[in-house]
Amino acid sequence: MSYDASSDENDETATKRLLQQLAEEEKLDKKLRESGNEGIVRHPDESKETKEETFTADPDELPWCCICNEDAILRCLSCEGDLFCKRCFKEGHDKSDEHRIKKYKPPANKHV
């Protein structure tokens, strides 16, 4: 098996782009909340309450990928809130899958 450095670079680029998009969306949401105009913008699926929208993290949750135990960087809301490292998320999700994800940062006060 040969090593493909360009694949790692593409993965890294895709992850950076995804994290940048999440950060920009969070900034926009914050501006909407601060302006008091949050109710003006509605997402198409907001009228339906789904499992994704009611997800609450377990307070005893460990900050690791649910597959390989590396440090988690993403939470997939479409996968019952499972935590993933970059590699396992890419390997386990097709590009055509429309999974809702959030950037994950472990709680600062968590001692593991």
Side-chain angles (χ1 to χ4, degrees), residues 60-106:
D60 296 326
E61 175 179 67
L62 297 174
W64 303 320
C65 173
C66 66
I67 296 173
C68 72
N69 292 339
E70 290 293 322
D71 291 339
I73 63 163
L74 299 171
R75 179 182 302 279
C76 183
L77 300 175
S78 302
C79 294
E80 299 179 355
D82 287 342
L83 297 173
F84 292 92
C85 68
K86 174 183 71 170
R87 182 181 53 110
C88 291
F89 181 81
K90 288 190 68 72
E91 288 176 5
H93 295 78
D94 291 332
K95 290 182 181 182
S96 63
D97 288 347
E98 293 188 22
H99 285 252
R100 290 184 43 184
I101 59 171
K102 288 177 63 174
K103 182 178 177 182
Y104 174 75
K105 187 174 179 183

Side-chain angles (χ1 to χ4, degrees), residues 3-44:
Y3 176 72
D4 185 3
S6 65
S7 176
D8 284 346
E9 185 175 318
N10 290 338
D11 290 349
E12 186 67 27
T13 302
T15 300
K16 284 181 181 179
R17 186 178 63 240
L18 178 64
L19 293 175
Q20 179 65 31
Q21 179 184 354
L22 290 170
E24 289 172 7
E25 288 175 4
E26 181 60 32
K27 286 178 188 177
L28 289 173
D29 288 344
K30 183 178 178 183
K31 285 182 181 180
L32 277 174
R33 284 191 301 274
E34 290 172 352
S35 70
N37 295 320
E38 186 174 17
I40 293 173
V41 179
R42 292 190 55 146
H43 298 280

